[in-house]
Amino acid sequence: MPVDKDTMIEAIDVNKEYRRAGAIIRALGDINLTIKSGEFVLVQGPTGCGKSTLLNVLSGIDLPDSGKIIFDGENIARAQEARLSKLRRQKIGFVFQDFNLIPTLTAIENIEALLWPTVLREKEIENRAIAALRDVNLLERKDHYPVQMSGGEKQRCGLARAIIHRPRVILADEPTGNLDPESEKQVMDLLKKINKDMETTIIVVTHRGSLSSYASKIIKMDKGVITNIQK
Ligand SMILES: Nc1ncnc2c1ncn2[C@@H]1O[C@H](COP(=O)(O)OP(=O)(O)O)[C@@H](O)[C@H]1O
Ligand SMILES: [Mg+2]
């Protein structure tokens, strides 16, 4: 089968169940979707509908029970962990609801840490981190620790960390879930700018309907299945 160069991620007949206290939970049921390079995708749906599970299988953090995940031309549904972690390191930037910054490192150190271990020289690492901080309008917080930053600043630091290795894809799971409306807008605007300027494919999970205007595609989920894909 010829590979469509524009296709970044494809899920084919993907299923995943969890077993809990004797019950079987269908987290993903027959998921089929295609995400093209450069798209800005929103995944929406109520809590527990499978959004995080979907992101986890798309990025090889979790493996599906059946089906294929074609990531940049490679089926990762049965890949070994060593291969998956290399793929994540090289091709994916992650953004988290609770930021996941290391409290004992400053903003710039948090960003630089993502590159280690690396063959890059110290000066090059610093230059890249400074450029990333500038991209998210956070250069003046460079030497601040997470505890000294607001939620919005912490998430902008998280965005800088997500782009430092120039990934093909950014996956953001509820990136604005802990932010006030103004910080939410700043973070979403920055994601849009990264999407445009760097042609990074962006997938944002949210249970809020209000962010629809940012998306080139909206995937709606309910109870583990896709109920609607809207362009
Ligand atoms: N590790 C797990 N073990 C058992 N059940 C899980 C696990 N992770 C998720 N689930 C269940 O799978 C369903 C989907 O969860 P999740 O993908 O986290 O949904 P969402 O991100 O949309 O809130 C939920 O019913 C959740 O309780
Ligand atoms: Mg979730």
Side-chain angles (χ1 to χ4, degrees), residues 22-35:
I24 293 175
I25 297 155
R26 186 166 75 154
L28 297 176
D30 289 328
I31 298 288
N32 284 282
L33 59 85
T34 302
I35 293 167

Side-chain angles (χ1 to χ4, degrees), residues 134-164:
R134 195 174 282 128
D135 283 341
V136 299
N137 309 318
L138 201 66
L139 198 51
E140 75 278 15
R141 291 282 178 272
K142 170 173 152 316
D143 299 315
H144 288 218
Y145 289 90
V147 71
Q148 299 171 304
M149 293 190 274
S150 70
E153 287 168 343
K154 280 188 268 202
Q155 196 56 302
R156 282 188 276 138
C157 185
L159 282 184
R161 179 184 54 190
I163 58 174
I164 184 78

Side-chain angles (χ1 to χ4, degrees), residues 18-20 25 27 46-54:
Y18 290 111
R19 275 154 217 278
R20 205 171 43 197
I25 297 155
T47 299
C49 73
K51 305 182 297 295
S52 296
T53 305
L54 178 65

